[in-house]
Amino acid sequence: MAKFLIVEARFYSQLNDMLIAGAKSALEAAGHAAEVLTVPGALEIPGAIALAVESGQFDGFVAIGVVIRGETYHFEIVAGESARAIMALTMDGIPIGNGIITVENEAQALARADAGQKDKGGEAAKAAIALLELTERFGR
């Protein structure tokens, strides 16, 4: 049994709850444990994961958040930079499933967050599990 940290940017509570439920369900179905940590926004997720890695308490991570396009360029910065930082950590061998959904509107977010539809929280957890298995296979 591995221990995963789900790091969520709590901005859209209902959508985040759905994403977290999907992630927890996938982790539990695979026999793993999960803990949830909340940070202010998507840009803080990679930093929180980096700090948690140093603690040695977790085997893998799931990033959860919702970024909906607004009227300004801020959407591109948050979406791009959070993904870039998570990818950098992943390239360092940290098993992270990226469940930060970036969408045009709430309807798209709802379809992706709902476990009965696209279940992006569950998919992110499954990706984290797969990466953890690879790190174990290749001797991290």
Side-chain angles (χ1 to χ4, degrees):
M1 177 177 80
K3 186 172 182 186
F4 286 82
L5 180 64
I6 299 170
V7 181
E8 68 147 339
R10 190 103 183 138
F11 197 80
Y12 297 97
S13 296
Q14 176 191 4
L15 297 167
N16 273 31
D17 288 344
M18 296 170 80
L19 289 164
I20 291 168
K24 282 183 172 180
S25 178
L27 291 169
E28 290 169 5
H32 302 300
E35 183 177 318
V36 177
L37 173 70
T38 301
V39 297
L43 290 174
E44 288 75 39
I45 291 174
I49 291 172
L51 290 170
V53 166
E54 290 180 20
S55 78
Q57 298 176 45
F58 302 96
D59 302 298
F61 302 88
V62 181
I64 295 290
V66 179
V67 182
I68 299 176
R69 184 180 299 279
E71 297 176 1
T72 68
Y73 183 72
H74 187 67
F75 171 88
E76 283 81 7
I77 292 170
V78 173
E81 290 302 309
S82 62
R84 182 201 56 77
I86 288 170
M87 182 57 68
L89 291 168
T90 303
M91 295 302 292
D92 286 340
I94 300 167
I96 304 170
N98 188 350
I100 301 174
I101 57 174
T102 54
V103 296
E104 297 292 327
N105 54 55
E106 281 194 53
Q108 290 177 350
L110 181 59
R112 284 156 180 79
D114 185 353
Q117 294 184 56
K118 297 192 181 229
D119 191 21
K120 294 299 181 180
E123 287 184 11
K126 290 174 186 174
I129 293 167
L131 287 172
L132 178 60
E133 290 170 354
L134 285 175
T135 61
E136 291 168 348
R137 177 179 175 194
F138 294 117
R140 177 179 134 200

